[in-house]
Amino acid sequence: MEISLALGGGGAKGNAHLGVLRRLEKEGYKICSVAGTSYGGLVAVFYALGYSPKEIQAIFESVDQKNLYGRSPHDGPSLLGMAGVRELLDRVIGEKTFNHARIPCAVTAVDINTGSEVILSEGSLKAAVLATIALPGIFPVQNLNGFQLVDGGVLNPVPVNVARILSPGLPVVAVVLNDPVDLPVRGYNLPIPSIVPRPIAERLSRISLAQSLDVFLRSVDVSSRYVSHLRLQVDKPEVIVRPDVHTISLLDPVAIEDVALLGEQALEKALPELKRKTTWFARLGRRVFGVKE
């Protein structure tokens, strides 16, 4: 039972991908390739390198979530920095490239000069991850291969088309973290690095900057929902898995296992459809006749 995975973006919601991965493995599915956007790109890269869902969870749990967004000399203009993220990637990925991946892998980004989607599948894995998670205005733009790159979710929140390019003919399982378009939009809080004294942090959370960030991120949320909805209608993944992560915001500190369980529960609900789309007859129809159920 071979499949290709498309892991959607969603910040802290992306820990649900861990539960999806471990349940797929438990059910005996062979993940032949993986594409990811934003946090989904981070998980995709770790998994493609050979880390198990359990090992990826341990890596994430080893990180101080409140101190991920400090600034470093590498960071350009942005509200938050990536010092903690860079430390994590240095420790886990180092200088590895896409050539080190055990299965085909790609992540998406967007060039803010041309307005075009950029698929990253060669070169530095660390650079690719930093690009795919670069939420515009919040995290620094990443200069790579002549492009100025931001978060791939701007144009492609769930990279179904990329997963299909990686493994033509295989069913694509899309893990969608965006809320459906009919749900209310949640507010956002400014993540303050833990090095900031508590009285200052409390004042920062009440100033107009934090309120402006809330408006901006809610606007991004709304846009991402509709882009995701439209892209899924066009790209038509064989199976959609949608974890119930509505109560989690992009930059929330979370209990990683709790979020992973939401992914596992969503995969459980999707199993009947997944089994139907991976039968011998369904595979034959796709390969011989190009039929999509």
Side-chain angles (χ1 to χ4, degrees):
M1 296 184 289
E2 299 179 336
I3 59 173
S4 184
L5 273 186
L7 303 181
K13 301 177 183 183
N15 293 291
H17 292 316
L18 304 178
V20 172
L21 287 168
R22 70 191 186 196
R23 186 58 191 272
L24 284 170
E25 290 187 346
K26 181 179 179 181
E27 293 293 327
Y29 286 92
K30 181 181 179 182
I31 299 168
C32 295
S33 59
V34 57
T37 291
S38 198
Y39 202 101
L42 173 64
V43 175
V45 165
F46 283 0
Y47 188 76
L49 282 173
Y51 291 102
S52 69
K54 182 177 180 180
E55 289 170 332
I56 299 173
Q57 181 169 333
I59 291 168
F60 290 167
E61 289 175 341
S62 71
V63 174
D64 181 359
Q65 296 178 52
K66 294 182 179 180
N67 204 25
L68 276 173
Y69 310 122
R71 300 196 65 81
S72 76
H74 300 284
D75 294 326
S78 60
L79 182 60
L80 300 174
M82 286 189 173
V85 178
R86 287 179 183 276
E87 290 177 7
L88 170 65
L89 297 179
D90 284 337
R91 173 164 58 91
V92 180
I93 296 178
E95 301 303 314
K96 290 185 174 70
T97 70
F98 281 91
N99 290 333
H100 291 92
R102 65 179 179 84
I103 57 174
C105 173
V107 302
T108 66
V110 173
D111 178 27
I112 59 171
N113 291 320
T114 63
S116 59
E117 180 178 355
V118 177
I119 298 173
L120 301 172
S121 59
E122 297 179 347
S124 166
L125 286 169
K126 176 183 173 182
V129 170
L130 289 171
T132 195
I133 66 174
L135 188 64
I138 306 302
F139 297 125
V141 171
Q142 299 298 305
N143 297 301
L144 182 64
N145 300 332
F147 298 112
Q148 288 189 295
L149 300 178
V150 296
D151 193 314
V154 171
L155 289 179
N156 198 353
V158 192
V160 173
N161 62 319
V162 182
R164 197 161 275 139
I165 291 170
L166 294 175
S167 292
L170 289 186
V172 175
V173 177
V175 185
V176 183
L177 303 180
N178 302 97
D179 287 331
V181 295
D182 57 346
L183 285 184
V185 181
R186 296 187 69 242
Y188 289 84
N189 295 316
L190 177 68
I192 307 296
S194 59
I195 58 174
V196 177
R198 183 181 178 85
I200 297 177
E202 290 175 349
R203 288 199 297 273
L204 282 173
S205 67
R206 293 195 296 268
I207 63 176
S208 59
L209 176 62
Q211 296 167 1
S212 298
L213 175 67
D214 172 58
V215 172
F216 173 72
L217 287 177
R218 279 193 280 171
S219 300
V220 170
D221 189 351
V222 172
S223 175
S224 185
R225 290 183 191 195
Y226 277 90
V227 172
S228 176
H229 176 72
L230 294 173
R231 288 296 302 250
L232 290 171
Q233 287 185 323
V234 171
D235 295 331
K236 293 181 172 60
E238 279 69 25
V239 179
I240 293 177
V241 180
R242 194 185 289 271
D244 183 10
V245 289
H246 172 66
T247 60
I248 302 169
S249 295
L250 291 172
L251 303 177
D252 278 352
V254 295
I256 292 172
E257 172 59 17
D258 291 347
V259 184
L261 283 173
L262 297 176
E264 198 163 349
Q265 292 164 5
L267 198 280
E268 170 72 26
K269 293 179 181 178
L271 270 178
E273 181 71 359
L274 179 57
K275 291 177 179 178
R276 187 171 72 86
K277 293 295 178 69
T278 54
T279 62
W280 175 86
F281 185 76
R283 294 198 303 272
L284 180 65
R286 277 190 300 274
R287 291 176 180 176
V288 177
F289 305 107
V291 173
K292 293 183 182 180
E293 295 179 72

